[in-house]
Structures are given as C-alpha cells and as structure tokens.
Amino acid sequence: MTDDELPDDNPAECAQAEALRDQARTGGLRFEAYLPPALADWMLERIERGIFADPSEAVFAIVRTYSELEPHRDLRDELLGRMLDASAAELESARRADEVFAELRRELGNPRPAPARWEKVAG
C-alpha cells in the first residue's frame, strides 16, 4: 500500500463517491457535516470574528488549504510531526487512563444533546 492509499473501510461510500464524481466535477458537491462540540465552538468563534462568513465557507477554506498542502509532503509531514509532539506532551500531563475511561463510560451513558443546526440566512 502506498502513502496515498487507504484501506477500503466502507465500500458503499467509496462506490457513492465514484458515482458522484462526474456530477460533482460540473456542479460541485453539497453535503452535511457534523462537528463535535470543540470543533463547532472553534468554527463558530471564527464566524463571530468575521474570519468566515458561514460554516460552508469555513469548510471550503479548510479543505482547499489541505488540498494545497498535498503536493508538499515534506511540509505536511513536518506539521503532522509537530501536532503529534504537542499531543504527546498533553498526554504526559494527562490523568490516569482508568480515570479517563471511567469518565467516558459515564458520559457515554448519558443521552447526547441534539446538535445545533446552521441555517442559511436570506440576505
């Protein structure tokens, strides 16, 4: 397997992507996305500050940036390494695993609140 290949985790989704590709090349692609609370808060804060007009623009900018990094594997790998180093530093100061798992079990047992939904404002 090369670096650009990933295991085929969901054949139905891969088939859907293949089936939509020609139509998307001419008309674009519209989809629904879910962001967990921390990422949703991050994005909404940037919309409030005027960095993005709405979630759609944010996703467009982020995906475009990611696609522009693709040919620069060395930069991408350096960035990933720095992110992993930062995560490792956080883990070193983290709580014990049994405490974390106990908290996760409690949280998973609670019903999840409904996600907020962005509605396009006619302007």
Side-chain angles (χ1 to χ4, degrees):
M1 180 174 351
T2 68
D3 288 342
D4 292 330
E5 295 175 339
L6 294 173
D8 187 7
D9 291 336
N10 192 332
E13 288 182 351
C14 291
Q16 180 180 202
E18 184 178 350
L20 291 173
R21 173 110 17 118
D22 286 338
Q23 183 181 358
R25 283 182 177 144
T26 58
L29 179 66
R30 184 176 301 275
F31 63 96
E32 184 173 316
Y34 168 79
L35 294 177
L39 287 176
D41 184 57
W42 178 89
M43 181 183 289
L44 292 171
E45 191 267 333
R46 276 142 186 86
I47 292 168
E48 288 173 12
R49 289 181 22 210
I51 295 170
F52 301 119
D54 58 32
S56 180
E57 182 185 43
V59 169
F60 172 81
I62 292 163
V63 169
R64 183 166 192 158
T65 299
Y66 184 85
S67 73
E68 289 172 352
L69 277 175
E70 203 166 6
H72 308 288
R73 192 172 300 241
D74 57 332
L75 294 174
R76 190 180 66 191
D77 291 348
E78 175 66 24
L79 180 59
L80 179 59
R82 289 183 185 195
M83 292 167 63
L84 290 172
D85 289 345
S87 293
E90 283 182 33
L91 285 175
E92 288 177 8
S93 64
R95 296 177 291 159
R96 292 183 13 202
D98 57 343
E99 294 174 10
V100 173
F101 285 123
E103 183 179 333
L104 286 173
R105 281 189 210 94
R106 283 192 303 276
E107 286 183 25
L108 290 173
N110 295 331
R112 298 214 25 109
R117 202 160 177 85
W118 183 271
E119 297 294 331
K120 193 128 181 119
V121 178

